[in-house]
Amino acid sequence: DQQVKQNSPSLSVQEGRISILNCDYTNSMFDYFLWYKKYPAEGPTFLISISSIKDKNEDGRFTVFLNKSAKHLSLHIVPSQPGDSAVYFCAASSGTSYGKLTFGQGTILTVHP
Amino acid sequence: AAGVIQSPRHLIKEKRETATLKCYPIPRHDTVYWYQQGPGQDPQFLISFYEKMQSDKGSIPDRFSAQQFSDYHSELNMSSLELGDSALYFCASSLKGQITDTQYFGPGTRLTVL
C-alpha cells in the first residue's frame, strides 16, 4: 500500500526553466511533508519541508505547495540548473508516529544545459 | 559541517550469516532512524531511537535488532541473512526527535547477500 505516490518516474527540463515535481498521499494523518534530493551513492539530502498548517513554503529557488483537500503537494524549482539533476523523493510523516518518514518512489529529474 | 557517518559503506555476506551496520549521528543529535532501500524502491522505515530508547518501529524483520548507545551511535544487527536483505541501508539523525526536526541522512551501507 503506497501511501505516498510520485506518479512521474522521470522529468526532463531545460536549464533556466521551471521544474515541477508532484506528489500525492492517501493517509490523512500525515501532517508534515518533506522533499529530499538524492545523488547516486549518496544519502538523501534534505531540501525543503512544509507543515500541514501552511500551503506554501519557499527557500531560494525551491518552493513547496501543499493542497490538503487534494492530498497533493508539489515542488517547484526555478530556475532549474544542471546540478539539480538527481532523484527527488517526497516524504511524509504523522504526529502519531514520531519522525517515521514514508517516502514516495522518487522522480528522476534531468536538467539539460 | 559534520554529517552522519555510516560504516561500513559496503558489505558482502553469505546467506545465513550475520551483519552489523553502524551509524554515528551528527554531534548533538539524539535521535537515529534506520531505513532500507531495495533496488528500484523507495526507502522503507525500519526503526528509530530517541535518547537510547526505541521510539518507533516499522517493517523491521524479527531477524533484525538495533540499539542506540550512550554516545548516541546506533547499530543495526542482522542475523540469518537472506538474499532479499540485499539493499542500501540508510541511517538518519535529528535533534530532539520532534516531528518537525529535519532528518539528515548518512551515505548508506550497501549490503549484498550472496
Side-chain angles (χ1 to χ4, degrees):
Chain A
D1 176 30
Q2 191 76 29
Q3 297 185 63
V4 178
K5 300 178 184 178
Q6 294 176 253
N7 292 317
S8 298
S10 62
L11 175 67
S12 185
V13 171
Q14 204 67 30
E15 181 179 8
R17 307 295 288 267
I18 184 171
S19 295
I20 300 176
L21 298 110
N22 294 301
C23 178
D24 297 293
Y25 61 97
T26 57
N27 188 340
S28 57
M29 298 299 291
F30 288 146
D31 53 11
Y32 191 62
F33 305 89
L34 309 90
W35 284 94
Y36 283 84
K37 177 172 73 172
K38 185 180 181 302
Y39 294 117
E42 293 184 13
T45 300
F46 170 74
L47 277 177
I48 192 168
S49 62
I50 188 166
S51 164
S52 61
I53 63 174
K54 293 186 172 183
D55 54 20
K56 176 183 174 181
N57 189 26
E58 196 171 348
D59 184 3
R61 296 187 297 117
F62 302 93
T63 303
V64 56
F65 295 92
L66 174 63
N67 182 334
K68 287 191 296 293
S69 61
K71 293 191 176 69
H72 176 85
L73 63 156
S74 60
L75 174 68
H76 293 210
I77 306 174
V78 182
S80 302
Q81 300 172 354
D84 295 329
S85 297
V87 180
Y88 287 77
F89 287 99
C90 168
S93 66
S94 158
T96 62
S97 196
Y98 212 64
K100 165 188 171 182
L101 293 180
T102 300
F103 284 85
Q105 310 95 310
T107 296
I108 301 170
L109 173 65
T110 304
V111 180
H112 298 282
Chain B
V4 176
I5 298 171
Q6 290 187 248
S7 69
R9 293 293 309 276
H10 301 273
L11 190 58
I12 299 175
K13 291 286 185 179
E14 300 276 342
K15 277 173 54 178
R16 291 179 288 278
E17 285 190 321
T18 61
T20 297
L21 309 186
K22 297 185 179 183
C23 169
Y24 298 86
I26 291 172
R28 294 192 305 113
H29 281 194
D30 51 16
T31 306
V32 293
Y33 312 80
W34 286 97
Y35 293 83
Q36 177 193 58
Q37 185 179 21
Q41 298 180 5
D42 50 286
Q44 295 288 320
F45 172 78
L46 292 177
I47 196 167
S48 62
F49 292 87
Y50 168 59
E51 283 290 347
K52 292 152 278 184
M53 300 286 290
Q54 182 181 307
S55 54
D56 206 347
K57 194 171 182 180
S59 50
I60 184 170
D62 292 340
R63 299 178 289 107
F64 294 7
S65 65
Q67 58 181 322
Q68 185 180 31
F69 294 86
S70 57
D71 63 351
Y72 295 103
H73 94 272
S74 178
E75 294 183 4
L76 177 65
N77 298 293
M78 311 159 72
S79 63
S80 303
L81 287 170
E82 301 174 357
L83 296 178
D85 297 329
S86 295
L88 201 50
Y89 290 84
F90 290 109
C91 172
S93 75
S94 70
L95 180 60
K96 294 183 184 175
Q98 297 299 312
I99 185 175
T100 56
D101 286 336
T102 302
Q103 292 183 30
Y104 295 89
F105 283 78
T109 293
R110 182 169 294 283
L111 172 67
T112 302
V113 181
L114 303 175

